[in-house]
Structures are given as structure tokens and as C-alpha cells.
Amino acid sequence: MCLLSENCVLFSIAIPAKKVDKNALGRWLRNVPLSKKLYFTVVVVTVLIMVELFSLWFAVRNLSAVRSYVTGESHWSKAQKDGVFYLREYATYRNPNDLKRFDERIRVVLGDKKARLELEKSAPNFKIAEEGFREGLNHPDDIPGLIRLFRQFRELYYIDKIVQYWADTDPLIDELLVMRNQLEIAVQGGEDDKSLQAMAKKLNEINAELTLKSNAFNATLGEASRWVEQLVTRILLILTLTVELTGVLITVSVSRAIERGIRKLLKATKEVSSGNYRARVDVESKDEIGQLGEHFNEMTQTIEGQIHALEQANRNILQQKERAEASEQIKQQFLANMSHEIRTPMNGIIGFARLLNESPLNSEQREYLQAIIRSGDNLMVIINDILDFSKLESGKVTFENIPFSLPDLVHNTAKLLENKAEEQGNKLSVNIDPKIPNHLSGDPVRLSQILLNLLSNAVKFTDNGSIELGVQFISQNKRQTQIHFFVKDTGIGISAHQIHHIFESFRQATSDTSRLYGGTGLGLSIVKQLVDGQQGTIWVESTPGVGSTFHFSMPFDRVISQESPDTEPETAHPVAHSHQTDIKILVAEDNRINQLLISKVLSKQGFKVEVVENGKEVITALEREVYDLIIMDLQMPEMDGYETTRYIRSMTSNARYTPIIAMSAHVFSGEWERCSAMGMNEFVSKPFDPEELRTKIIQLIHPVMS
């Protein structure tokens, strides 16, 4: 037990000398869960804080009691001095009021004495002690602290010394009380002044002795106050340091354990992020950090296995992709070759059939010839559908965004099918909303292809009815104009069951459709893909036996400039001619049938024609003669059309400005772009339309004539 004294030892801790296995202790601590370590830290710090708060409360309470003693001492000292003063005044002036004032003051001193004497007993009556302190003019709230401090610390050095000085004043107070009674008797007995002065002198001696005792009491009380203050300060400081150091030590220990584990995890994570999936964490403990490290190792092991599996799968996918690309390339090459091989003879068949149709024939011959032309046209539709579908499936279709006149395109597209519609007894009408802007920007070729396909279907499946092509304005903003198109017919219609599959590849309304009307079943699939590819929407409404209406809406960019979108820049110097017979054309074509066909068509249109078989002959012809235009086949022996065009554009003579029209049975995506990049001015596909060819020749040679 610690006894408080001047040389008090506050804490004494004895630790038995015993060897501690630090390694075992360290392992045990590392394996303690972090949650328990944190809970332990919180509990320890909480207990220390509670001890500190209790000590603070204890110190404040006792310091308050000391303050009460200091306050009570001031009342006690003042009451003694005032009592002596009034008793001396009574001896001098014999005023009874001074005697009464003495009795009032001395009652304060006697009250403190009564409380002290009662508390000195082994079994004190605390009510008597409280009554004495109240008579000593102590505040009622301070009295419990006075009693507690006196009882708890009575044996302490300073408290004992204070009480001793306090008790030493008792004989002097008793002597004052005797002097009071003597003075009262002397004054009432009428004794002379000399006797009273002797008593007053005695009072001065008592007062001087009381003053000495009071000063000693005050000095000791001050020392006691300072000692208590220092004691409380030391206790609080030690407790505060203990709380802080304990908290810091435990926190540092736990933090270092967490930091060490997290650093290892971060290092391993960084290695994994850099691609090293073999990285593992060195697990040292079984706490949460250690468990996290173990789970991390399991995760990286799983990821490593999955990556191996993915790498193998990727290798398999790459091999399959390479095989698919090789297969697609073979397919595209095959289609290109087949396109060329089919279109080249078809060019001769259809071309000569049209030339023959313009010659004198009897009705039976003309009927047979028109059947050949229709069959050839139908065959070309099938070939074009297959090639377009192949391009769309392979994703090789690109969309242009150029200015064009929408009303003109719609009317021109409808004119292409007027004759065919009339042959089947149909009336074809076009209705264009007047709100439609004259010029928009988009892909006119693809739009024309969509409209032609829908109109062709309407004509094919309608006899002796009506077909309407409508264009309606929907909305417009600063950038785009939304347009709605519809093709309405009174044909055979589509059943509700088939209407949901009408846009699928190789699907037609019924199994008899292909047999009765022909076709591949690709047309509407191609139309849908072309509409979807331009951010449009297509749908159909139909009633069997009543007719069908195909709708589609698409956005077009607005054209700010009012210049004609059909005006094309000149890439060659035009040559002015007043008559077509003055125009001299060089034709490069290796196929004898096509040579004959083109010569006949151009000669019949009034042009002068010279035919050569390959690119080398073209260059030779240009070196000896001047031509107004060249029609260049792309696939020729010796020197093809691309190489020949590149050579012509690099010549130093005026021949490098000669306009060139590319003519090819190869119509795959990007062909016209490639031709244009080589320096060609126009492109015509085989089988060619004689009127289209004539128009492009005139536009290139003399725009005014067109």
C-alpha cells in the first residue's frame, strides 16, 4: 500500500525474473486476429481514460475541499482578530454593542473548534461537525468536502501540522473568553481606567500571540495546498502519459503488422497488374491480413490457370479466325471471278439483244427477243442480289455522304420501272411532300437501290393494279432532316405469319413465290441491311389479297449551300465539239464479243471508235494519235486498266488529260474508289446501259451538250 507523505512513492511494480520465449510470444501475437487486437487496444485505452477521469474527478473534489479550508481559514482568522478588536474597544469606550460584536465573532471561532473536536473522535457525529462548520460561516456546499478531507487525510504530515496549529489557538481563545467576562464585570462594577487599560494591554498580548499562530496556520495551509496541487498534477501527468504511451505502443504495433501485410499485398498486386500472375504473398500470420494473403495467393493461382486456358482458347480462336478469313477471302475472290466471268458474257448477250431489238424484226421475232432481254435482266437482278448480299454480310459496304436532289432521284428511279409496270397493267404514281428540301446529303446510290428493290417487288407481285411511291417530311433540326418513304401496292399481299420473317435472308412469302415470280429471297434482306446501316427503320403493313405497304424512314444531312449537288468537279480538260461524230473514242477491251458490242453501240450513237486489246496498245495508240475519251476495261492481259491509267496520268504530253471511263464486270465495294484514286473519271459496270454510257461520255467531253 502506498502511504501519501512528503516522500511518497506513487507506483511500485514487481516483475518476477523469468525467461520469456520472445519468438513464441511474437508468433502468438502475429496470429491474434486484428479485430481482437483492435478491441484490446480500445479496451485498454478506455480503462486508462476512465482511471484518468476518476483521478481528475478525485483531484478536483479534493482541491475544492482545500479551497474550502482556505476560505474557512480566512473567516476563522478574521473572526479572531475582529473579536480581539471589539473586546479592546469595549475596554476603552465601554460600549455594550462592542461586547455583542465580540460574541458574534467569537461564535465563528468556537463553531470551527466544535467541528474539529467532533471530527477528532473515533466515531464522530457528523451532524455536530456540520453544525460547527456552519457556525464557522463555511458555505453549506463546502462542508461535506471539509469533513471528507479532514477524515481521509488527517494522518498526513501537512494536515496534521495544520490541525496542530489550529488546536494551539484553543488556550488563547479560552483566555479571550475569560478576559471577556472580566471586562464585562469590571465595566459594570465601575472600575477605574487604569485597571481597564491593564486588561486592554493583556488583550494586545493575546492578539499578538494569536497573530503568530494564525500566520503559522496560514503558511502551513499554503504549503499543504501547493503539495496537494503538485501531487494531483503528477498523478494526472503520469496517467496521461500512461494512456498516451499505451495507446501509441499498441497502435504502432497493430499498424506495423497491418502495414507490413499490406505492403506485401501491394507488391504482389503490382506484379500481377504488370502481367506476372505467378506472384505470391509470403504469409507470416494467420490474422485477417494473413488470411487475405492466402486468399490472394489462391486467387492468383486461379487466375493463372484461367489465363492459361484463355491463352489456349485465344490461340484456337485465332486459328479459327485465320481459317475463316482465308475462307472469306477465297469466297470473295470466287465471287469476284464469278462476277467477272458471268457479267462479261451477259454484257454481250444483253447488249446485242438490245441492238437487235432496235433493228427491223417481225412480231414473232421481237417477242422472242424481248423474252431474251427480260430473262437477261432477271438474271442480272439475281446476280446483283447475290453480290450485294455477300458484300453486306462481309461488312464491306460503305455509305457515301454527298449532296443530291432527293425529288430528282425519286422521279428518276420511278421512271426506270414505268415501262415494266405498264406491261403488267399497273399504274405507277409518285407523291412527294412539298416540304421536302430540294437538296439533302446522303448516299443517293444506296437510296436508289432501296427504292428500286421495293418498287420492283411491288411491280412483280401486282397485276392490273396501282403502285404508289410516297415521300413525306417528318422533322428537321439544325443538322438533319428525317424523311419517311413508302411503297404501296394492290398486289397479292403477305400473310400475318410470314410478315415477321419477310426481311430474313432467302425467305419469301410462300413456297410458291419463287416458282411463280422468281427471285432469290435476298432483296428485302438487302434493303433492311441498307436501311439499318444508315440509321433508318423499315417495317411493312400487309393484307393478303388487298396489298402491301413497305415503309422506311431515314435521316439525311442538311445542305446549307444552294449550289447544285449534281455538279461534279472536272478532273480533265474538256474538249469542245459541236457534233458527236467529231468525238473520237479509244476502247481498251480484250474480249472479242465485248469489243464488237461496244463498237456497235458507240458507232450507232455517232461516235468514232478505235478498239485495242490491252494497256500497251492503249499507250501506243495515244503516242501516235489524239483521242477525246478512253473506255478502259480493268482486267486485260499484258497491262491491266489500273496500270495503264497510272501510266497515262504520268505522261508529259496532253494525252495525260484524256478523260477515262472505267468499265468492268467487277462491282465489289471500293472498286470505284480505287479507280478514282488511279485517275479515272467515271465508272460503268457490265452489262452496261448504252444510254448511261452515252450520257457519261457527253458529260466528260462537253458538259454543255449534256
Side-chain angles (χ1 to χ4, degrees):
M1 180 179 178
C2 175
L3 298 177
L4 293 174
S5 64
E6 283 186 293
N7 301 314
C8 178
V9 179
L10 295 177
F11 296 99
S12 178
I13 301 175
I15 301 177
K18 183 180 179 181
K19 284 189 176 181
V20 179
D21 187 351
K22 294 184 178 180
N23 293 331
L25 180 61
R27 286 194 299 272
W28 179 81
L29 287 175
R30 283 196 299 271
N31 293 331
V32 173
L34 286 175
S35 57
K36 291 186 177 180
K37 290 178 182 177
L38 294 174
Y39 292 150
F40 176 74
T41 303
V42 172
V43 169
V44 170
V45 172
T46 302
V47 169
L48 291 174
I49 290 174
M50 291 178 65
V51 171
E52 184 177 11
L53 291 175
F54 174 78
S55 300
L56 180 62
W57 169 80
F58 178 79
V60 169
R61 190 174 69 161
N62 285 289
L63 286 174
S64 177
V66 171
R67 176 193 57 79
S68 301
Y69 267 105
V70 172
T71 303
E73 185 277 334
S74 65
H75 293 308
W76 177 75
S77 297
K78 188 175 185 302
Q80 290 183 108
K81 293 181 180 296
D82 289 347
V84 173
F85 171 78
Y86 287 121
L87 195 60
R88 192 169 49 203
E89 287 290 299
Y90 178 70
T92 304
Y93 301 106
R94 303 182 183 188
N95 186 350
N97 291 329
D98 289 331
L99 189 61
K100 290 180 181 179
R101 292 188 184 98
F102 167 80
D103 291 338
E104 291 174 358
R105 297 297 182 272
I106 206 67
R107 198 178 296 121
V108 173
V109 178
L110 294 176
D112 289 334
K113 178 181 177 181
K114 180 170 66 174
R116 174 174 54 80
L117 293 176
E118 187 64 31
L119 292 174
E120 289 281 350
K121 297 177 181 179
S122 58
N125 188 332
F126 294 110
K127 288 186 178 180
I128 295 174
E130 289 177 7
E131 182 181 342
F133 279 128
R134 278 197 298 272
E135 292 174 358
L137 298 181
N138 290 283
H139 195 279
D141 294 339
D142 294 337
I143 293 174
L146 294 170
I147 295 174
R148 183 176 60 255
L149 184 64
F150 190 94
R151 294 286 297 172
Q152 290 178 349
F153 299 104
R154 175 65 182 82
E155 302 298 326
L156 294 181
Y157 170 77
Y158 287 107
I159 301 299
D160 181 69
K161 193 174 181 180
I162 290 170
V163 172
Q164 187 62 45
Y165 282 124
W166 193 357
D168 288 346
T169 61
D170 287 350
L172 296 175
I173 298 301
D174 292 339
E175 191 173 352
L176 275 177
L177 291 173
V178 172
M179 289 292 297
R180 183 261 182 204
N181 293 329
Q182 290 176 353
L183 275 173
E184 184 180 14
I185 294 171
V187 169
Q188 291 178 357
E191 290 189 15
D192 57 7
D193 292 338
K194 186 176 180 180
S195 177
L196 292 175
Q197 287 176 0
M199 290 184 181
K201 183 178 179 181
K202 181 64 176 178
L203 286 173
N204 288 334
E205 293 175 356
I206 294 173
N207 182 56
E209 193 171 350
L210 277 174
T211 300
L212 292 175
K213 296 290 184 182
S214 179
N215 290 340
F217 180 87
N218 289 339
T220 305
L221 184 61
E223 291 177 5
S225 299
R226 284 190 294 275
W227 173 79
V228 172
E229 181 182 350
Q230 291 173 1
L231 176 65
V232 169
T233 302
R234 289 170 186 170
I235 293 173
L236 291 178
L237 181 60
I238 291 171
L239 287 174
T240 301
L241 290 175
T242 303
V243 171
E244 296 297 330
L245 287 174
T246 304
V248 168
L249 289 174
I250 297 176
T251 303
V252 168
S253 176
V254 174
S255 299
R256 287 185 64 185
I258 296 174
E259 180 186 9
R260 187 166 52 250
I262 290 177
R263 284 185 180 278
K264 291 182 179 180
L265 284 169
L266 287 175
K267 181 180 179 181
T269 304
K270 188 176 181 180
E271 291 184 16
V272 170
S273 64
S274 63
N276 180 19
Y277 297 102
R278 294 183 176 86
R280 298 292 184 269
V281 177
D282 182 19
V283 179
E284 295 181 353
S285 63
K286 294 183 179 180
D287 58 9
E288 288 85 349
I289 296 293
Q291 294 174 15
L292 184 60
E294 291 177 352
H295 293 319
F296 178 86
N297 292 340
E298 294 172 1
M299 179 188 70
T300 52
Q301 186 174 357
T302 303
I303 291 175
E304 186 179 2
Q306 291 176 345
I307 286 174
H308 287 316
L310 285 173
E311 287 174 348
Q312 183 60 43
N314 283 338
R315 284 193 290 270
N316 295 336
I317 291 171
L318 287 174
Q319 292 175 358
Q320 294 174 3
K321 180 184 177 184
E322 290 172 358
R323 287 195 292 267
E325 289 176 348
S327 175
E328 179 66 22
Q329 187 175 2
I330 293 172
K331 184 181 79 171
Q332 292 297 321
Q333 187 63 43
F334 171 77
L335 288 173
N337 294 335
M338 289 304 297
S339 170
H340 183 268
E341 295 301 324
I342 295 174
R343 285 174 178 272
T344 298
M346 285 300 298
N347 184 49
I349 294 170
I350 296 174
F352 279 112
R354 286 173 177 166
L355 284 176
L356 186 59
N357 191 46
E358 295 175 3
S359 63
L361 298 170
N362 59 40
S363 59
E364 185 178 4
Q365 290 172 331
R366 193 171 299 280
E367 182 181 357
Y368 295 160
L369 188 58
Q370 288 178 351
I372 293 173
I373 293 173
R374 283 196 299 272
S375 297
D377 289 339
N378 290 336
L379 182 58
M380 287 307 302
V381 169
I382 293 172
I383 293 171
N384 290 334
D385 280 351
I386 293 173
L387 293 174
D388 283 341
F389 180 75
S390 176
K391 288 187 287 184
L392 287 165
E393 286 293 299
S394 63
K396 293 185 177 181
V397 171
T398 57
F399 297 96
E400 292 185 313
N401 190 10
I402 60 174
F404 69 97
S405 172
L406 180 60
D408 290 349
L409 183 145
V410 172
H411 284 297
N412 292 336
T413 303
K415 283 182 181 180
L416 294 176
L417 291 170
E418 279 183 351
N419 292 335
K420 192 171 183 179
E422 290 175 359
E423 289 177 3
Q424 294 186 215
N426 296 317
K427 180 182 179 182
L428 177 60
S429 61
V430 177
N431 293 312
I432 301 178
D433 192 335
K435 296 180 182 178
I436 300 292
N438 189 42
H439 295 139
L440 293 171
S441 184
D443 193 328
V445 174
R446 296 302 177 187
L447 177 59
S448 178
Q449 184 179 357
I450 295 168
L451 294 175
L452 276 173
N453 207 315
L454 295 177
L455 286 171
S456 297
N457 275 355
V459 171
K460 183 194 297 185
F461 298 112
T462 305
D463 290 320
N464 301 316
S466 64
I467 299 168
E468 179 184 0
L469 171 57
V471 186
Q472 298 174 335
F473 176 88
I474 299 178
S475 63
Q476 183 172 268
N477 56 33
K478 292 181 179 180
R479 292 182 58 253
Q480 290 185 327
T481 301
Q482 194 77 15
I483 305 296
H484 171 238
F485 301 85
F486 68 88
V487 176
K488 183 178 182 181
D489 65 62
T490 58
I492 61 175
I494 308 168
S495 68
H497 172 70
Q498 291 294 332
I499 202 168
H500 299 293
H501 307 284
I502 199 66
F503 293 110
E504 295 178 5
S505 305
F506 305 105
R507 293 294 293 265
Q508 293 191 333
T510 67
S511 59
D512 294 332
T513 301
S514 180
R515 178 175 57 82
L516 295 174
Y517 298 97
T520 60
L522 293 174
L524 291 177
S525 174
I526 292 171
V527 166
K528 178 170 174 54
Q529 292 187 64
L530 291 175
V531 171
D532 291 345
Q534 299 176 85
Q535 292 78 49
T537 306
I538 186 168
W539 69 98
V540 61
E541 300 169 350
S542 184
T543 303
V546 177
S548 304
T549 304
F550 284 83
H551 304 264
F552 71 94
S553 61
M554 287 198 316
F556 296 89
D557 290 345
R558 297 182 62 186
V559 176
I560 306 302
S561 174
Q562 295 302 315
E563 296 179 4
S564 175
D566 297 322
T567 302
E568 298 201 10
E570 297 180 6
T571 57
H573 291 187
V575 180
H577 292 273
S578 58
H579 302 286
Q580 289 183 199
T581 54
D582 297 332
I583 299 174
K584 195 170 185 178
I585 299 175
L586 177 63
V587 177
E589 172 63 64
D590 63 312
N591 186 280
R592 296 297 177 88
I593 301 296
N594 286 334
Q595 288 178 357
L596 179 59
L597 175 62
I598 296 172
S599 297
K600 291 292 185 182
V601 170
L602 295 178
S603 297
K604 192 172 183 180
Q605 291 177 348
F607 300 109
K608 292 180 179 180
V609 182
E610 181 178 343
V611 179
V612 294
E613 292 190 355
N614 56 59
K616 288 185 177 181
E617 294 182 7
V618 170
I619 295 170
T620 301
L622 288 174
E623 289 174 348
R624 72 169 185 268
E625 197 167 345
V626 175
Y627 297 91
D628 298 312
L629 184 136
I630 302 171
I631 296 178
M632 184 81 70
D633 185 37
L634 297 180
Q635 294 181 342
M636 297 183 294
E638 300 289 337
M639 194 174 182
D640 63 23
Y642 305 109
E643 189 178 354
T644 305
T645 301
R646 189 187 299 113
Y647 184 87
I648 292 171
R649 294 309 183 207
S650 67
M651 295 173 69
T652 57
S653 64
N654 287 334
R656 69 177 183 272
Y657 299 121
T658 306
I660 300 175
I661 296 178
M663 182 175 286
S664 175
H666 193 314
V667 292
F668 275 83
S669 175
E671 193 64 44
W672 160 236
E673 289 78 3
R674 185 182 177 190
C675 293
S676 177
M678 293 293 177
M680 301 182 192
N681 305 94
E682 270 293 353
F683 183 90
V684 174
S685 63
K686 297 176 183 179
F688 65 89
D689 182 352
E691 188 58 34
E692 178 191 4
L693 179 60
R694 175 188 173 279
T695 301
K696 291 186 176 182
I697 292 171
I698 298 301
Q699 287 178 342
L700 286 174
I701 293 178
H702 196 356
V704 177
M705 293 178 63
S706 61

